Amino acid sequence: MIDVVIAGGGPNGLMLACELALAGMRPVVLERLTEPGHERRANGLVGEVVRLMDRRGLYERLTGTPGAPEPVPGFVFGAFPLPLADLDHHLYTLAVPQRRIEAVLAERAAELGVDIRRGHEVTGLVQDEDAVTVEIGGREPVRARFLVGADGGHSVVRKLTGIGFPGVTSDDSVAYSGDVTVPPELIGPGGELVVPGFGVIPPFQHLRTDRGLITWAPFPDRDPMVSTTEWGPPAEGEATLDALRASAARVLGADLPLGPPSGEGPHLLRRLFGGNTRIAERYRDRRVFLLGDAAHVHSAIGGPGLNLGLQDAVNLGWKLAAAVRGEVDVLDTYESERRPVAQRVAMHTQAQSLLIRPGGDVTAFRELFAELLSLGGTRQHIADLMAGSDIRYDMGAAGERVGWFAPDLPGLRELTRGGRALLLDPAGTLDAGPWRKSVDVVEAPGLETAYLLRPDCFIAWTGEGGDGLHDALTRWFGPGTD
């Protein structure tokens, strides 16, 4: 019998497969498409997920350069610049297109022996007490102990389980995005776009006007991208360069000379109407789980979507592995820990979507919000929110450090590559005892206190002695075996 079947071979499904393989499982990925898609989607990662990818040895693969990630000096929120250089924060960015992320994860999954079956579309499922029978169009069904739906916002797995997907749909906006060229004399020394009759559009930031929103993204290794958003009656016509050019002119109140992209494609040119903010009523139906967009969809503003799904995968992977091995069942904590995070992402993306709308009332609110952003405490709060570094799980244990994503402790980058739980012991006196198969004990004389880290790098226990350690080990890794 298969340990875990994953429906969906995008970045989230592949990340989960890698995590399961690190834990010794034999996952099978069923992907409907016969080859990787060429559609341009996310343009990178934002927040703590960047450090998480680094701790799995994937950051350097994605960047192609050595070294750990560094916090960025600034970001954006609701079309406001968010200066961060004066703050102690964990907002990291990784500007890598989703296609590259998916390719690196597929490569890593292959190294770990993951079975990826393309051209396999899930069409049905039947659960019993011991397993899930997964029906596949035109092929023999397979049986697995667990099934995970990582098959996107229109998830077939979610629909087959009857899990509701409540939320809010907006249908009063239209967004254009396209790869373009612009006259080189319009590009300033800092990458800004200088538009005659309007002024400066800063790079990689949302710029709001009284008529709409525009984004200028001068990528270093490919043609730049221009995106616009307008509100009002749905626009007629097709997603054409002329339509994008006309939309930019309406937003700016000035003509922006946009030319077709250069070089070989595929090139991006699309139009999207409205948007959705939805969170699944539950993340689990007995032996079936939802992951990524199958569990939550929201505005892409601020770039949180792929970050959320990848962290879902790392949270769920080790818990599924522990359940398959019969060590401990903590699977219900997947929803109790990750669903509130999705709710916070939905909250701040909806708030940003309101801040970028046109209109005098929004302009007045933005004036007040700009005053609030001049305060360091406000910027710190928003930086933590956007990074996800304000997330604290309920570990059922005392201690102000418990439940947080582990800081950059000495040697942690290398120690976490294998996806194992770690007991970092500065005094060399602690023993994992019957949990030695699940937890690696590492002497860490440079630390002031001991740490027990779950495989997802969240702190399950900390202390100078052993008080409470065995309780934490039992809760997260079961009674242990000699």
Side-chain angles (χ1 to χ4, degrees):
M1 184 186 298
I2 299 169
D3 293 327
V4 180
V5 164
I6 302 166
N12 298 324
L14 291 171
M15 188 72 185
L16 176 62
C18 291
E19 291 294 299
L20 288 165
L22 286 173
M25 297 293 101
R26 298 178 295 106
V28 172
V29 177
L30 304 179
E31 170 52 51
R32 176 179 59 85
L33 299 177
T34 56
E35 61 181 25
H38 298 294
E39 181 183 0
R40 288 262 297 277
R41 303 188 70 181
N43 289 306
L45 302 176
V46 178
E48 292 284 26
V49 69
V50 178
R51 285 204 297 171
L52 182 60
M53 299 296 275
D54 184 52
R55 291 180 182 177
R56 289 297 189 260
L58 297 169
Y59 177 80
E60 292 181 349
R61 288 194 184 201
L62 289 166
T63 63
T65 58
E70 296 288 342
V72 294
F75 199 61
V76 291
F77 183 86
F80 284 98
L82 189 66
L84 302 172
D86 60 325
L87 303 179
D88 179 16
H89 68 91
H90 297 100
L91 208 163
Y92 301 79
T93 63
L94 176 57
V96 177
Q98 180 168 326
R99 286 180 298 174
R100 171 66 179 158
I101 296 171
E102 186 172 327
V104 167
L105 289 172
E107 178 183 70
R108 179 59 175 150
E111 292 171 0
L112 294 170
V114 173
D115 184 358
I116 302 175
R117 303 177 185 178
R118 290 195 166 274
H120 285 58
E121 182 175 7
V122 174
T123 57
L125 64 90
V126 179
Q127 299 192 62
D128 57 41
E129 192 172 314
D130 301 314
V132 184
T133 300
V134 183
E135 299 171 5
I136 306 167
R139 302 176 186 273
E140 289 294 318
V142 297
R143 278 178 63 79
R145 291 179 173 85
F146 295 100
L147 168 66
V148 179
D151 49 345
H154 299 286
S155 170
V156 171
V157 172
R158 187 186 65 240
K159 294 172 183 177
L160 289 171
T161 57
I163 295 175
F165 205 39
V168 177
T169 296
S170 62
D171 57 3
D172 63 343
S173 67
V174 58
Y176 291 93
S177 296
D179 294 333
V180 298
T181 54
V182 300
E185 62 268 20
L186 299 187
I187 302 176
E192 68 275 14
L193 187 62
V194 183
V195 182
F198 173 78
V200 174
I201 303 176
F204 300 107
Q205 294 187 23
H206 296 104
L207 177 66
R208 175 192 178 269
T209 73
D210 286 336
R211 298 166 296 276
L213 191 77
I214 189 166
T215 304
W216 159 248
F219 297 109
D221 55 350
R222 62 179 190 266
D223 285 321
M225 182 177 71
V226 168
S227 300
T228 65
T229 304
E230 299 177 84
W231 284 263
E236 297 180 358
E238 301 296 329
T240 64
L241 183 59
D242 285 341
L244 173 59
R245 191 183 295 117
S247 178
R250 289 191 296 269
V251 171
L252 296 174
D255 289 334
L256 176 57
L258 301 177
S262 62
E264 297 183 0
H267 298 298
L268 174 68
L269 184 60
R270 70 182 176 207
R271 180 183 62 172
L272 299 174
F273 292 108
N276 288 285
T277 299
R278 299 184 178 277
I279 301 176
E281 288 180 336
R282 60 189 189 278
Y283 282 18
R284 178 184 187 181
D285 181 72
R286 293 175 290 167
R287 291 184 170 272
V288 179
F289 293 82
L290 301 179
L291 173 70
D293 286 356
H296 40 70
V297 296
H298 43 75
S299 168
I301 190 168
L306 193 52
N307 316 316
L308 190 57
L310 291 172
Q311 291 178 90
D312 288 347
V314 177
N315 184 285
L316 180 60
W318 69 274
K319 296 174 181 178
L320 283 172
V324 169
R325 290 193 296 262
E327 296 171 349
V328 66
D329 186 350
V330 290
L331 289 170
D332 283 342
T333 66
Y334 169 60
E335 178 174 340
S336 65
E337 291 179 350
R338 296 305 300 166
R339 197 171 189 278
V341 182
Q343 290 171 326
R344 284 190 67 73
V345 169
M347 175 272 289
H348 78 67
T349 53
Q350 286 181 300
Q352 291 185 77
S353 296
L354 288 175
L355 281 167
I356 64 176
R357 294 180 70 94
D361 52 347
V362 177
T363 298
F365 179 58
R366 287 179 63 85
E367 291 177 2
L368 173 61
F369 202 84
E371 294 180 11
L372 296 175
L373 284 179
S374 69
L375 306 175
T378 304
R379 286 183 287 115
Q380 182 75 59
H381 183 86
I382 291 178
D384 292 342
L385 174 67
M386 297 296 286
S389 53
D390 61 346
I391 297 167
R392 184 177 186 180
Y393 297 150
D394 179 10
M395 297 287 187
E400 60 182 33
R401 299 183 186 181
V402 175
W404 298 102
F405 189 71
D408 289 328
L409 303 171
L412 199 58
R413 291 183 72 214
E414 292 73 24
L415 291 171
T416 52
R417 298 289 165 88
R420 296 269 297 170
L422 298 172
L423 178 57
L424 305 178
D425 179 13
T429 59
L430 299 176
D431 182 8
W435 296 277
R436 285 188 297 269
K437 290 184 179 180
S438 302
V439 181
D440 291 339
V441 181
V442 180
E443 290 192 20
L447 299 181
E448 295 182 359
T449 186
Y451 289 91
L452 174 64
L453 305 186
R454 303 189 320 187
D456 57 0
C457 296
F458 275 78
I459 302 170
W461 171 88
T462 184
E464 296 182 5
D467 291 347
L469 173 59
H470 282 200
D471 290 340
L473 288 165
T474 302
R475 176 177 184 182
W476 295 111
F477 307 107
T481 56
D482 294 325

